[in-house]
Amino acid sequence: RLGTLTLAAGRGITVSNDLHGGTETQQLVIHSGQDNNIDGTFEIATNKTINTGGRVIITAMDVNIMGGISTHNSSIAIHTSGNSRTVGMGVTQKQLQLDAQEIQRLTTSGMSIGGLTSGSVTVGGITPAEARTVTSIVTISATSDDAQVLFQASGAAFESAAAQADNGIVVESNIVTPTGPLTFDADIDDDPFADSHNKLELIGPRILKAQGLLTLDSTSSGIERRGAGTLQLIGGAGVIINNSI
């Protein structure tokens, strides 16, 4: 392909052949669920590849990545069609599910998942080997009304990560980013009245460790520890705690 390309459909898009081309300034935009039907899935067939130099933006009811996506020095963004659909990264099945094997088929410099229209995001069961081709920052956004981010006990491994939520972040696992920053913002709208949870909740003995800067933020309801054990906060470039623990 030459130039920016937009693919749009009401009830799903399937890429059955290799799709190549595009520079860093030429986005590939895919919207496979414009009418918000449950079958608005974006799918890449087995052994087929999207290979582009530009950013890839996917909006879908669900994704089924059996082939691969490579964006070289650009990023991938995945959003849900329809409002408040739940998102899963790793082992937990949600309405839009990106499992660990699908993450392993992405080669990208940065990734974002969720956003203003997506619901809560659950993350877990992602090993360093499965996430090794997703470099730079992985941004996990549950910023629609009342949405939360949950890091399950099964864990997740990314080079660098940022988690943002409207109504709180719950951390049940140790999180280590070996090459860059680690940021949590559990109350992205800084509104003390509109949401019930609004806190960064750290459960049990936890290690949060960043090679870069470690930042903890939850303006309205602060940072809460639940359960026994030691909390270790480690930042190679410093630790910023913006609220009371």
Side-chain angles (χ1 to χ4, degrees), residues 86-209:
T86 58
V87 178
M89 292 185 72
V91 296
T92 301
Q93 291 294 317
K94 297 297 180 181
Q95 290 172 309
L96 186 152
Q97 178 66 28
L98 184 70
D99 65 33
Q101 290 72 38
E102 290 175 309
I103 293 170
Q104 201 168 14
R105 297 171 189 141
L106 306 177
T107 302
T108 180
S109 179
M111 180 171 74
S112 63
I113 189 164
L116 288 172
T117 62
S118 302
S120 294
V121 183
T122 302
V123 185
I126 303 167
T127 67
E130 289 163 334
R132 67 182 179 83
T133 56
V134 180
T135 59
S136 192
I137 294 179
V138 174
T139 301
I140 301 159
S141 296
T143 51
S144 66
D145 191 38
D146 293 330
Q148 298 180 329
V149 174
L150 168 62
F151 289 93
Q152 291 185 317
S154 52
F158 301 112
E159 286 193 355
S160 306
Q164 307 165 341
D166 175 66
N167 192 29
I169 298 173
V170 179
V171 181
E172 298 178 346
S173 61
N174 298 332
I175 302 176
V176 178
T177 53
T179 67
L182 176 60
T183 303
F184 298 92
D185 188 343
D187 181 23
I188 194 71
D189 61 357
D190 297 335
D191 188 341
F193 304 109
D195 304 296
S196 58
H197 190 265
N198 261 355
K199 66 185 72 170
L200 174 58
E201 190 170 6
L202 308 174
I203 299 177
R206 291 276 73 78
I207 299 172
L208 303 180
K209 181 178 179 180

Side-chain angles (χ1 to χ4, degrees), residues 5 7 12-20 28-30 32 41-51 56 58 64-69:
L5 175 63
L7 305 176
I13 293 174
T14 298
V15 177
S16 299
N17 299 96
D18 293 332
L19 176 59
H20 294 170
L28 172 59
V29 179
I30 299 167
S32 65
T41 297
F42 170 65
E43 179 173 293
I44 303 177
T46 302
N47 297 326
K48 302 306 176 183
T49 303
I50 294 175
N51 191 336
V56 175
I58 301 168
N64 187 14
I65 300 173
M66 297 180 290
I69 303 176

